[in-house]
Amino acid sequence: MSNDKVHNPIVGVVMGSSSDWEIMKHATIILEKFSIPFKAEVLSAHRMPDDMFDYSHKAYNRGLRAIIAGAGGAAHLPGMIASMTDVPVFGVPIPSKYLNGQDSLLSIVQMPKGIPVATFAIGESGAYNAALHVIAFFSMNNEKIRNELLNFRNEQSEIARNMKVQL
């Protein structure tokens, strides 16, 4: 799974398996909304460790400035990438078959001191919010992105203000 149509990606969106795409696509939807160039691909910590090492070590020099990594079960991908790159990693726990993603969440959030992974909620909301967090991160040095983010947040507020309770 890769979106090679995007040249010069600044965000990597990686997942341990193509089955994780149903969750991780929510990160790409928000990145596309803000016109943030990204590349999405499968990168398994357990089945392709050499590829993961290469990806991690070369991330910054390839132009990546953030990595959104989703993983389920043992969920080693975000933490392993974080241990090998200075590019910020945003972890998304993927719901698992038996423990509904709680195992993934605990695996990602319990990184040792000195190897941070910003960890988000399990599932779609986590993927969506990880991308929004990346956008907020970029908005600190980019006025155009900042204005788009402020507009997005204002739109969210207006949607909430217009909600009515049906009694």
Side-chain angles (χ1 to χ4, degrees), residues 19-164:
S19 64
D20 299 340
W21 177 243
E22 283 305 309
I23 298 299
M24 296 304 290
K25 70 181 178 185
H26 296 278
T28 66
I29 289 167
I30 197 72
L31 293 170
E32 285 176 344
K33 179 175 179 58
F34 284 85
S35 301
I36 304 294
F38 67 90
K39 183 174 182 183
E41 57 193 298
V42 171
L43 189 68
S44 173
H46 301 112
R47 295 183 202 103
M48 15 186 320
D50 292 338
D51 295 8
M52 181 193 60
F53 294 153
D54 186 62
Y55 180 93
S56 303
H57 289 299
K58 295 179 180 175
Y60 183 84
N61 289 336
R62 281 195 333 271
L64 295 183
R65 296 301 175 257
I67 299 169
I68 302 172
H76 292 135
L77 184 64
M80 290 301 297
I81 290 174
S83 74
M84 293 182 282
T85 186
D86 55 350
V87 174
V89 177
F90 302 81
V92 178
I94 303 294
S96 56
K97 184 175 180 180
Y98 298 108
L99 297 173
N100 299 317
Q102 293 178 39
D103 50 345
S104 310
L105 173 64
L106 293 174
S107 179
I108 296 170
V109 81
Q110 292 190 92
M111 290 301 298
K113 181 170 45 175
I115 309 294
V117 174
T119 308
F120 293 85
I122 299 166
E124 295 174 12
S125 293
Y128 193 88
N129 284 338
L132 279 173
H133 200 277
V134 167
I135 290 162
F137 174 72
F138 290 153
S139 77
M140 296 294 99
N141 294 311
N142 185 309
E143 200 65 30
K144 179 181 179 290
I145 295 173
R146 186 176 190 293
N147 288 333
E148 289 176 14
L149 181 59
L150 292 173
N151 287 335
F152 175 82
R153 289 186 175 171
N154 286 334
E155 289 170 9
Q156 296 277 302
S157 296
E158 283 305 309
I159 290 169
R161 282 187 191 102
N162 291 320
M163 291 180 181
K164 304 293 182 221

